[in-house]
Amino acid sequence: MIKTKDKMNSFLSTSSILLILGILLIAANLRPSLTSVGPLLGFIQEEMNLSHGIAGLITTLPLLSFAIFSPLAPKISNRYGSEWLLFIGLIILTTGILVRSVPSVTTLFLGTAIVGMAIAICNVLLPGIIKQRFPNQVGLMTATYSTSMGIFASIGSGLSIPLAQVLPFGWKGALAFWAILAIIAILAWLPQISKRIKRSTAKRKTNSTGVWRSLLAWQVSFFMGFQSFAFYVTITWLPEILHDYGLDISTAGWLVSLMGLMGVPSNFLIPILAERRSNQQLWVIIISTLYVLGLAGLLFNHSLSWFILCVIIIGLSQGACISLSYTLIGLRAKNAQQAEQLSGMAQSIGYLLAAMGPFLCGYIHDFTHSWVIPLTITICVCVLMIFFGLGAGRAMYIHSSRDKRVF
């Protein structure tokens, strides 16, 4: 009882509250600079004269940056510290958002790539920070920061069109708006920099290649990848899909925002519930099946009420899948260093798969002038989530006696 009280007092200390605030603000920046693009793609395509396939690269480029920089983040953090690298990542994010808002095709894609690099750094390091600083509250902290991420992802989608209508420079001003949130996070994270400098003499020894030999690590990575594929296809093209099926673009944007809002409760609850079970396989089956049902529903009825129902189902499963994938990283790792390595691998492999989604589905739409095949592909991806999720959800650590070596 005394130990539990001490843990709670430590969790609620001033330094912990400042750290939690910083984590929440970093998480708040990990999605709106991406989700705000989908509702604006029509305006961007028209002004820049881009095809659906090329426009899909606006979402694909950050994912490629995720794939490239995710494995590098743990190595750099081992040398300079996760706290310091997160601070640098926020500065890079602010720069990328502003560069992307300069009116030219070159700066649009360059800034988008920079945004992806920054988010990759923060994505990878947060699970390790939580494993290290809150080892007894992994589920709760994962739920908290993934909920923050989900809420602001939804806000990013919903505010895009209104911001473009009221701010100077239209869609460019709407994209630049999110630099304000990044600057707030920079200021909130400043207290953590000085703390890391005091601990910088302690070096951590890690084996960054070993995690790639774990079958369990690959299963976690593919679960992350397929849920990311489905997520980025929906946030990129769902506004266009709903618009082509009869809704005005503003209503379509708000439905995507509703999708994000519906993911908030599942985003928060799933990590807490998943941590209480010896394995997470049942949750994998439930949320992946919901994803399939929600996406399939878009093919069979095009009324507004039906769209709302499908969007609610997709949102619930989408929020659950994202938070569960981050929870699996924490639960399958033995310590903070291993969590960073697994996070780097899962997000590298995962986002490499996800990068195919928006571009592939946009290209197929250009070729077929229909959303049936892109939606069918996304449904099949959600079925694959079940297969790999059952492996990733087993109650074991990577490199344990039950884990198999891949090579």
Side-chain angles (χ1 to χ4, degrees):
M1 182 69 180
I2 294 175
K3 288 184 178 179
T4 302
K5 188 175 181 179
D6 289 342
K7 289 177 182 178
M8 184 57 66
N9 289 337
S10 176
F11 184 68
L12 296 176
S13 66
T14 301
S15 60
S16 292
I17 291 173
L18 287 174
L19 175 59
I20 293 169
L21 177 63
I23 289 173
L24 291 179
L25 284 169
I26 291 175
N29 278 276
L30 298 184
R31 290 297 178 267
S33 57
L34 303 178
T35 59
S36 60
V37 172
L40 298 173
L41 270 182
F43 301 109
I44 297 172
Q45 285 180 262
E46 183 178 356
E47 184 170 328
M48 299 291 184
N49 195 26
L50 304 176
S51 67
H52 279 82
I54 297 300
L57 287 174
I58 299 173
T59 303
T60 299
L61 267 178
L63 304 181
L64 292 174
S65 294
F66 292 174
I68 293 169
F69 290 100
S70 290
L72 301 178
K75 297 179 181 179
I76 300 173
S77 73
N78 285 342
R79 182 170 182 179
Y80 298 104
S82 298
E83 291 88 347
W84 177 254
L85 189 54
L86 281 167
F87 180 72
I88 297 299
L90 290 170
I91 294 175
I92 295 172
L93 176 62
T94 306
T95 303
I97 291 172
L98 294 176
V99 169
R100 184 177 63 175
S101 304
V102 176
S104 82
V105 174
T106 301
T107 52
L108 174 64
F109 286 102
L110 175 62
T112 297
I114 295 173
V115 165
M117 177 176 66
I119 294 176
I121 293 170
C122 299
N123 266 338
V124 169
L125 297 183
L126 278 183
I129 287 279
I130 289 171
K131 188 76 173 180
Q132 180 183 22
R133 305 286 287 273
F134 302 101
N136 300 306
Q137 295 93 14
V138 171
L140 177 60
M141 285 303 302
T142 301
T144 303
Y145 96 77
S146 62
T147 299
S148 174
M149 191 165 55
I151 289 173
F152 279 89
S154 174
I155 292 172
S157 297
L159 285 184
S160 287
I161 300 298
L163 286 175
Q165 292 172 340
V166 302
L167 291 178
F169 311 112
W171 63 265
K172 296 176 283 293
L175 293 181
F177 173 83
W178 298 105
I180 299 173
L181 184 62
I183 292 171
I184 294 172
I186 290 172
L187 297 175
W189 196 248
L190 280 173
Q192 309 308 321
I193 304 303
S194 59
K195 292 183 179 181
R196 179 58 199 179
I197 291 172
K198 294 176 183 177
R199 301 195 308 268
S200 62
T201 54
K203 293 186 178 180
R204 298 177 294 177
K205 295 180 180 180
T206 60
N207 179 6
S208 61
T209 59
V211 70
W212 292 81
R213 298 175 181 174
S214 163
L215 175 62
L216 181 58
W218 281 94
Q219 290 169 328
V220 172
S221 299
F222 278 112
F223 181 78
M224 167 73 81
F226 289 130
Q227 71 85 18
S228 297
F229 184 107
F231 175 81
Y232 285 102
V233 167
T234 52
I235 67 166
T236 302
W237 293 124
L238 188 57
E240 289 291 314
I241 292 171
L242 297 176
H243 183 52
D244 285 357
Y245 285 165
L247 300 184
D248 65 84
I249 192 64
S250 181
T251 302
W254 278 111
L255 280 183
V256 175
S257 182
L258 173 64
M259 179 178 70
L261 285 174
M262 293 309 303
V264 171
S266 57
N267 223 322
F268 182 79
L269 289 174
I270 286 297
I272 298 173
L273 296 174
E275 191 179 30
R276 293 178 178 177
R277 295 184 61 88
S278 59
N279 67 65
Q280 293 73 44
Q281 293 173 320
L282 177 61
W283 290 115
V284 167
I285 294 172
I286 293 173
I287 63 181
S288 300
T289 302
L290 280 175
Y291 224 146
V292 170
L293 293 175
L295 289 169
L298 297 175
L299 295 171
F300 297 110
N301 192 311
H302 296 164
S303 67
L304 176 60
S305 58
W306 184 258
F307 282 149
I308 292 173
L309 176 61
C310 290
V311 162
I312 289 173
I313 295 173
I314 294 170
L316 287 170
S317 54
Q318 195 175 73
C321 284
I322 293 170
S323 60
L324 180 59
S325 64
Y326 283 109
T327 304
L328 289 174
I329 291 172
L331 294 180
R332 299 291 87 91
K334 294 179 182 178
N335 51 54
Q337 291 76 26
Q338 201 174 69
E340 283 188 0
Q341 293 168 15
L342 180 56
S343 182
M345 175 185 173
Q347 297 194 56
S348 177
I349 298 298
Y351 288 120
L352 187 61
L353 288 171
M356 302 176 189
F359 174 75
L360 176 64
C361 291
Y363 179 81
I364 291 174
H365 177 268
D366 283 339
F367 185 75
T368 63
H369 302 289
S370 169
W371 291 109
V372 173
I373 295 179
L375 283 171
T376 302
I377 291 172
T378 310
I379 291 168
C380 292
V381 163
C382 292
V383 173
L384 288 173
M385 277 170 47
I386 300 176
F387 175 76
F388 287 99
L390 289 175
R394 293 173 295 164
M396 66 173 71
Y397 292 120
I398 59 174
H399 299 320
S400 65
S401 58
R402 294 172 56 203
D403 187 18
K404 296 180 180 179
R405 286 173 63 108
V406 176
F407 53 85

